[in-house]
Amino acid sequence: MSLLKKILITGGAGFIGSHVVRLFVNKYPDCEIVNLDKLTYAGNLENLRDIENKQNYRFIKGDIVDTPAMLKLFSEEKFDGVVHLAAESHVDRSLENPNEFVMTNIIGTVNLLQAALKTWGADSSKRFYHISTDEVYGSAEGSDLFTEQTAIDPQSPYSSSKAGSDHFVKAFYNSFNLPILISRCSNNYGPNHFPEKLIPLMINNLLESKPLPVYGKGENVRDWLYVADHARAIDIIFHKGKTGEVYNVGGNNEWRNIDLVNLLCRVMDKKLQRPEGASAKLITYVKDRPGHDLRYAVDSSKLQNDLGWAPSVTLEIGLEKTVDWYLNNKEWLSRVTSGQYRAYYTQMYEKR
Ligand code: NAD
Ligand code: DAU
C-alpha cells in the first residue's frame, strides 16, 4: 500500500505509545507524526525527549473523550491514518474506578471512530488501527492458546472496557466500511513502563528494599513481550495488515509470576552486587487481585505467517536490558513515583 503521509498516534506519551512514536518518527522521515495525549498520570513527554525536536513530529495535548474537540481535530488535520493506543491501562485501577475506563476506553474510542468516519467516509486508502489486548479473551484454559477466533470473555472492568471498544471498532467496519485493524497483544515490558505494573514495580521496590507484593500464590501466568517487539508489530500491522482483520501479538514467553519475580531478583542481586538470595527475601505474598485471570497465552502465528513478524528478544535478555534501563534512569523513576503516584500506591498497598 502507498505510504500514509499524516498519522495520528493517540496515547503516544505512554509506555508503548512512546516506543511507537519514536519508531515511526525515525523510520518515516517523510511522514508527519502527530501525538495526541491527555498526559494523565501515565503520560510523560520525558519519554520522547530524544525525538521532540524532529521536523516530522508534533505533540497535541488533548482528551479523546472530548467529542467536539476530536471532530474538530480530524476535520482540520486530515489524517491519513490513526494508531490508537490512548487508554486507561491498569487492571487494579479499573477495580477502583471503572467509570474512568468506560469513558476513555469506550467513549473515547467511539469519538475517534466517529471523527474518522466523518472525515474519511469509507475511503479504503485510510486506516484506523486499534491497539487492544489479549485480556479480552479472559483466562486461557489448560494448555490452549488464544487465537483470533477465541471467544471474547473479559473478566475485569479494564478488559471489559477494551472488549467494548473492540466491538465498536468492528461495528464501524461492518456497518460503515471504515477501514479498521485490531491487534491484541500480551503483556509488554521494557523501558518507560510505569511502576504500577508488575516488572517495573518490583524493580522500584527492589531499589528501595521494599517488600515485593506477589498476588495470591504467584501461580498466574503471563506471556511476556519486549516493548520494542510490540512496536515493530504495530508498524507491520498498520502498514501491511488487511483491513477488517484482527491480529494477535504474543511473545511465546509464558512465565508464572513467582518464577518471573525470582528471575528478576537474581538479575538485581547481580547488578546491585547484593549477596545471592538477598532480593528474593523481600518477596511477600499478598491478597489476590479480585477476578485474577489465571493464564494468558497467545498464538500469534497469523501475524508471523501472513506478515512476517517474530519476537526478537527472550525474557532473560529483555529483562536484563530493562533492568539496565531503570538503573541508568533513576531520576525518571523517582520523578514518576513521587507525589500523586506515591499516595495512590501507599493507599493500594495498605489495603492488601
Ligand atoms: P499507558 O497507561 O502507559 O499509556 C496510556 C497513554 O494514554 C498515556 O500517555 C495517557 O496519558 C494517555 N491517555 C489516557 N487517557 C487519555 C485520554 N482520555 N485522552 C488522550 N490520552 C489519554 O498504557 P500502555 O501500557 O502504553 O498501553 C497502551 C495501549 O496498549 C492501551 O490501549 C492498552 O490497552 C494496550 N495494551 C497494553 C499492553 C501492556 O502490556 N502494557 C498490552 C496489550 C495492549
Ligand atoms: O495482557 C496484556 C495486559 O497486560 C495489558 O492489556 C494491560 O494494560 C497491562 O497492564 C497488563 O495487565 P496485567 O494485569 O497482566 O499486568 P500487571 O503488570 O498489572 O500484572 C501482571 C501479573 O502480576 C498479574 O498476574 C498480576 C500480578 N501482580 C501485579 C502487580 C502489579 C502481582 O503479583 N503483584 C503486583 O504488585
Side-chain angles (χ1 to χ4, degrees), residues 90 92-93 189-190 192-215 224 261 264 268 282 284 286 289 319 322 326 332-333 336-337 341-342 344-346 348-349 352:
H90 191 40
D92 292 332
R93 287 182 191 254
Y189 69 100
N192 303 107
H193 204 183
F194 194 82
E196 63 188 350
K197 309 282 166 55
L198 180 72
I199 290 178
L201 182 134
M202 296 293 173
I203 294 174
N204 188 42
N205 285 14
L206 278 162
L207 286 171
E208 296 189 358
S209 294
K210 282 202 217 135
L212 308 177
V214 172
Y215 296 166
W224 293 95
V261 172
L264 183 60
M268 290 295 276
L282 293 167
T284 310
V286 297
R289 174 186 275 175
L319 205 57
T322 304
Y326 281 91
W332 182 94
L333 199 53
V336 301
T337 53
Y341 166 77
R342 189 157 288 278
Y344 166 82
Y345 178 68
T346 308
M348 292 290 281
Y349 192 72
R352 289 183 194 122

Side-chain angles (χ1 to χ4, degrees), residues 89 133-135 158 187 196 198 213 215 222 257 289 292:
S89 67
T133 168
D134 63 353
E135 292 199 19
Y158 163 69
N187 286 62
E196 63 188 350
L198 180 72
Y215 296 166
R222 296 292 182 265
N257 291 339
R289 174 186 275 175
H292 196 174

Side-chain angles (χ1 to χ4, degrees), residues 28-288:
Y28 303 109
D30 295 334
C31 296
E32 193 181 340
I33 308 300
V34 179
N35 171 13
L36 173 84
D37 200 296
K38 183 182 170 185
L39 300 182
T40 67
Y41 77 94
N44 186 352
L45 288 176
E46 205 181 327
N47 296 347
L48 292 166
R49 239 341 91 88
D50 56 318
I51 56 108
E52 69 187 3
N53 293 322
K54 295 256 178 169
Q55 291 264 306
N56 62 335
Y57 171 71
R58 192 148 54 92
F59 172 70
I60 298 176
K61 187 167 190 290
D63 184 349
I64 60 170
V65 176
D66 183 342
T67 314
M70 290 306 106
L71 289 169
K72 186 162 174 277
L73 179 76
F74 274 70
S75 93
E76 284 176 4
E77 297 279 353
K78 312 243 176 312
F79 302 114
D80 297 311
V82 177
V83 183
H84 173 38
L85 295 117
E88 286 295 334
S89 67
H90 191 40
V91 173
D92 292 332
R93 287 182 191 254
S94 81
L95 296 163
E96 297 283 309
N97 186 5
N99 295 50
E100 190 131 21
F101 285 69
V102 173
M103 292 308 290
T104 294
N105 298 358
I106 302 184
I107 307 290
T109 301
V110 176
N111 278 342
L112 296 174
L113 288 165
Q114 286 274 51
L117 184 63
K118 274 230 150 97
T119 42
W120 298 346
D123 182 347
S124 62
S125 71
K126 311 291 187 193
R127 311 206 121 194
F128 187 104
Y129 177 14
H130 175 62
I131 310 302
S132 188
T133 168
D134 63 353
E135 292 199 19
V136 300
Y137 297 121
S139 192
E141 298 287 331
S143 58
D144 290 357
L145 301 178
F146 300 134
T147 72
E148 290 80 1
Q149 280 71 47
T150 301
I152 303 285
D153 187 20
Q155 303 296 314
S156 73
Y158 163 69
S159 53
S160 302
S161 69
K162 292 296 288 187
S165 58
D166 281 25
H167 285 311
F168 272 102
V169 174
K170 270 269 181 181
F172 271 63
Y173 177 74
N174 293 329
S175 309
F176 311 118
N177 286 322
L178 190 76
I180 65 95
L181 295 143
I182 297 175
S183 61
R184 299 188 177 131
C185 188
S186 62
N187 286 62
N188 286 215
Y189 69 100
N192 303 107
H193 204 183
F194 194 82
E196 63 188 350
K197 309 282 166 55
L198 180 72
I199 290 178
L201 182 134
M202 296 293 173
I203 294 174
N204 188 42
N205 285 14
L206 278 162
L207 286 171
E208 296 189 358
S209 294
K210 282 202 217 135
L212 308 177
V214 172
Y215 296 166
K217 295 184 179 147
E219 285 171 353
N220 303 65
V221 171
R222 296 292 182 265
D223 175 358
W224 293 95
L225 180 68
Y226 193 61
V227 63
D229 280 337
H230 188 195
R232 267 194 312 110
I234 288 174
D235 176 28
I236 292 170
I237 294 166
F238 182 64
H239 287 102
K240 298 195 183 136
K242 189 161 171 260
T243 53
E245 295 284 315
V246 175
Y247 294 90
N248 281 349
V249 189
N252 233 340
N253 246 330
E254 283 185 58
W255 283 73
R256 290 192 320 160
N257 291 339
I258 188 62
D259 298 332
L260 170 58
V261 172
N262 271 310
L263 171 64
L264 183 60
C265 287
R266 289 195 293 277
V267 173
M268 290 295 276
D269 279 347
K270 200 173 70 185
K271 300 270 178 197
L272 299 175
Q273 297 178 331
R274 288 180 178 164
E276 215 180 295
S279 296
K281 287 200 180 119
L282 293 167
I283 292 175
T284 310
Y285 291 95
V286 297
K287 202 167 103 202
D288 208 353

